[in-house]
């Protein structure tokens, strides 16, 4: 039997009882003949509390120190899970990201994994131990601790599964699997038995917090079968797998909303060659990730250029936009930090027509104004006012018959 990686999210290690349950699950897999690597998140809301603490000290915490602070959450849970396994009478060892040789770049608070040296893990597995790895964290070549972005333990788990050539990666969380939409916002959302890498990658990038989007990039690239399931039951959850032809039968697999967005508009920038290049070069140099870009021509050879960014990058983006406005002779900058994006996703969109029309109709019936539209082969997204976003999502969900009661 092969190696399995089991990842337990914050709720699944929230207290001593849940930690013991996670330990038991790992032991069960070991007794079934697997080699077992466990990846854990920080307990409960620990990471949020640490973030909060930092902002009580300063509104602008240095990112390196933020990583030093946030990585402590996972260090607590790995030690406790290892202790729980020992207590039940099995051998386990806890390891930090640095100790397992998980190397990242130095983009503190959103570092990317560059390399994993799996030898130390293999050595302990061979010795019969369950290896407990701290999720969400890595180390730079210089030895500085980094973190992979909020929700990043999923990425640690799938990247390790790829590096160790695991048979599968099991993601244990507080829902029964991946749903047609976030069940907290859409109570009628339905659990999916299967979803393709491309679909969950789009959904995760567009705001579905159930999986860290970078984890799916690893899963897809290295073909890691990922099983997302509840840590409270033994019910099967959702399999993230390669696309099969019958997946195109349904136009829309799921819907999602991203409420952590802000939009900046550079007004009346001179409409000439090289201006857009200059703007987005400056934004990239500030390490700000741009979401959508919209350019509208104006009279007098000028244009409005809008772009959306994550709310967490808003302050940095604002400073960059103000500087750019001066530099390129624009007519001012307008901000809106009250926007959201609702999206529908499905590989079936490649072969079904009328998906956009149906989505716009649902939004019109909900009296929601569409501020911008963007599409790809397998998704359609609309920017809307944030306070209308949840209702918009529910309306769209019903319009595409994703509601549980419509399943026949
Ligand atoms: P963990 O701590 O286990 O990583 P997360 O809070 O990161 O858990 O992710 C699980 C949560 O993701 C669920 O409680 C749910 O509210 C949210 N979620 C968002 N979109 C979806 C979706 N499409 N399907 C299931 N859960 C979703
Ligand atoms: N503890 C980290 C967070 O809350 C990482 C994770 O849970 O995946 O974002
Ligand atoms: Mg998570």
């Amino acid at each position: 039997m092969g190696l399995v990686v089991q990842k337990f999210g914050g709720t699944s290690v929230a207290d001593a009882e849940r930690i013991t349950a996670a330990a038991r699950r790992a032991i069960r897999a070991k007794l079934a003949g697997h080699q077992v690597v466990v990846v854990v998140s920080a307990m409960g809301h620990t990471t949020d509390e640490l973030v909060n603490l930092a902002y009580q000290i300063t509104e602008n915490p240095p990112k390196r120190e933020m990583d030093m602070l946030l990585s402590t959450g996972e260090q607590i849970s790995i030690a406790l899970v290892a202790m729980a396994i020992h207590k039940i009478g099995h051998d386990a060892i806890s390891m930090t990201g640095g100790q397992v040789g998980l190397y990242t770049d130095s983009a503190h608070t959103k570092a990317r994994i560059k390399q994993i040296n799996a030898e130390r893990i293999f050595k302990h597995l061979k010795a019969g131990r369950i290896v407990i790895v701290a999720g969400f964290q890595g180390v730079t070549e210089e030895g500085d601790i980094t973190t992979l972005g909020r929700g990043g333990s999923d990425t640690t788990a799938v990247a390790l599964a790829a590096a160790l050539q695991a048979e599968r990666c099991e993601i244990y969380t507080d829902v029964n699997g991946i749903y047609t939409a976030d069940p907290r916002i859409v109570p009628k959302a339905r659990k999916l038995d299967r979803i393709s890498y491309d679909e969950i990658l789009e959904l995760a990038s567009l705001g579905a917090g159930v999986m860290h989007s970078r984890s799916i990039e690893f899963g897809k690239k290295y073909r890691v079968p990922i099983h997302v399931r509840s840590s409270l039951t033994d019910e099967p959850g959702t399999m993230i797998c390669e696309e099969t032809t019958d997946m195109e039968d349904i136009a829309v697999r799921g819907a999602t909303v991203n409420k952590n967005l802000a939009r900046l508009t550079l007004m009346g920038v001179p409409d000439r060659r090289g201006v857009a290049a200059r703007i987005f070069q400056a934004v990239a140099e500030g390490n700000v990730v741009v979401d959508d870009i919209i350019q509208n021509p104006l009279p007098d050879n000028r244009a409005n250029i809008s772009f959306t960014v994550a709310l967490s990058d808003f302050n940095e983006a604002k400073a960059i936009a103000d500087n750019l406005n001066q530099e390129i002779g624009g007519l001012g900058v307008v901000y809106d930090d009250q926007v959201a994006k609702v999206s529908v996703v499905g590989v079936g969109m490649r072969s079904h027509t009328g998906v956009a029309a149906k989505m716009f109709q649902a939004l019109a019936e909900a009296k929601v104004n569409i501020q911008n539209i963007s599409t790809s082969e397998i998704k359609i997204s609309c920017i809307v006012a944030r306070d209308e976003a949840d209702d918009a999502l529910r309306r769209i969900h019903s319009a595409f018959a994703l509601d549980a009661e419509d399943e026949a």
Side-chain angles (χ1 to χ4, degrees):
M1 269 204 210
L3 191 159
V4 294
V5 175
Q6 300 186 326
K7 178 254 168 178
F8 295 90
T11 324
S12 308
V13 289
D15 53 32
E17 197 185 321
R18 305 294 311 135
I19 284 177
T20 303
R24 285 216 182 87
R25 206 180 269 277
I27 291 167
R28 243 201 288 157
K30 175 94 201 314
L31 292 175
H34 293 286
Q35 290 188 316
V36 184
V37 174
V38 176
V39 173
V40 279
S41 293
M43 293 170 70
H45 298 291
T46 304
T47 313
D48 288 335
E49 284 155 16
L50 292 170
V51 170
N52 226 319
L53 203 51
Y55 283 97
Q56 284 176 40
I57 305 277
T58 164
E59 68 224 9
N60 203 5
K63 294 195 161 147
R64 180 189 180 280
E65 305 312 327
M66 205 61 183
D67 280 350
M68 188 65 96
L69 177 70
L70 298 193
S71 61
T72 61
E74 272 67 14
Q75 202 169 325
I76 295 172
S77 27
I78 52 171
L80 293 172
V81 173
M83 287 177 196
I85 293 175
H86 279 275
K87 158 93 179 152
I88 303 171
H90 290 262
D91 200 1
I93 182 165
S94 66
M95 298 176 89
T96 63
Q99 286 174 325
V100 298
L102 193 151
Y103 289 96
T104 72
D105 62 18
S106 56
H108 285 289
T109 74
K110 46 183 166 192
R112 295 183 76 97
I113 299 175
K114 283 169 70 180
Q115 199 197 327
I116 298 179
N117 294 337
E119 296 110 69
R120 259 191 103 179
I121 296 187
F122 278 129
K123 197 185 84 194
H124 290 297
L125 288 173
K126 275 206 191 101
R129 297 187 184 105
I130 296 174
V131 181
I132 321 294
V133 180
F136 176 57
Q137 57 174 261
V139 70
T140 65
E141 265 165 41
E142 292 75 40
D144 285 317
I145 294 175
T146 52
T147 63
L148 309 178
R150 296 303 306 272
S153 295
D154 298 328
T155 298
T156 307
V158 181
L160 274 177
L164 302 168
Q165 298 185 322
E167 191 177 289
R168 60 177 186 274
C169 183
E170 298 170 350
I171 304 286
Y172 289 95
T173 182
D174 60 1
V175 265
N176 292 333
I178 297 171
Y179 281 63
T180 47
D182 186 341
R184 286 187 219 211
I185 305 173
V186 185
K188 286 183 178 171
R190 194 161 34 87
K191 193 193 85 182
L192 297 163
D193 294 332
R194 288 184 314 151
I195 190 166
S196 69
Y197 292 113
D198 285 333
E199 287 169 329
I200 184 64
L201 183 55
E202 282 283 10
L203 283 171
S205 323
L206 293 165
V210 63
M211 288 296 288
H212 195 234
S213 63
R214 204 134 355 110
S215 71
I216 310 298
E217 290 171 17
F218 276 101
K220 183 180 175 194
K221 186 162 171 196
Y222 298 100
R223 295 166 182 250
V224 181
I226 305 171
H227 187 183
V228 181
R229 55 192 303 199
S230 165
S231 60
L232 291 169
T233 70
D234 285 330
E235 296 296 304
T238 304
M239 283 307 304
I240 303 177
C241 54
E242 306 269 0
E243 190 179 324
T244 51
T245 42
D246 62 328
M247 282 184 169
E248 285 208 20
D249 294 349
I250 297 168
V252 172
R253 182 88 49 214
T256 187
V257 60
N258 180 355
K259 288 185 269 186
N260 292 311
L261 283 178
R263 182 177 49 216
L264 300 96
T265 304
L266 287 150
M267 310 280 291
V269 299
D271 195 359
R272 58 165 191 266
R273 270 190 290 272
V275 170
R278 174 64 200 126
I279 292 172
F280 292 102
Q281 178 196 14
V283 175
E285 278 165 5
N287 250 328
V288 170
V289 179
V290 173
D291 195 38
D292 291 328
I293 300 173
I294 311 127
Q295 174 164 337
N296 292 312
L298 299 172
D300 303 329
N301 278 332
R302 287 189 180 261
N304 288 342
I305 297 188
S306 300
F307 57 99
T308 47
V309 298
L311 215 44
S312 55
D313 282 341
F314 182 49
N315 284 339
E316 270 149 324
K318 230 159 116 178
I320 296 167
D322 287 335
N323 280 340
L324 278 165
N325 181 54
Q326 295 275 323
E327 180 190 319
I328 58 185
L331 303 178
V333 188
V334 179
Y335 319 104
D336 185 350
D337 61 359
Q338 296 297 318
V339 294
K341 189 195 248 190
V342 284
S343 310
V344 292
V345 170
V347 289
M349 274 184 217
R350 295 190 199 118
S351 50
H352 288 73
T353 54
V355 178
K358 195 183 256 190
M359 177 168 181
F360 304 157
Q361 183 63 33
L363 291 173
E365 281 165 14
K367 301 200 167 42
V368 171
N369 183 40
I370 302 172
Q371 301 181 20
N372 184 52
I373 299 160
S374 55
T375 62
S376 81
E377 208 190 8
I378 64 163
K379 69 117 191 197
I380 301 169
S381 299
C382 296
I383 300 281
V384 301
R386 188 173 306 141
D387 59 2
E388 296 176 338
D390 286 352
D391 186 40
L393 182 68
R394 288 187 284 268
R395 296 294 195 113
I396 294 168
H397 195 268
S398 299
F400 286 99
L402 297 174
D403 291 355
E405 64 193 17
D406 293 321
E407 196 187 27

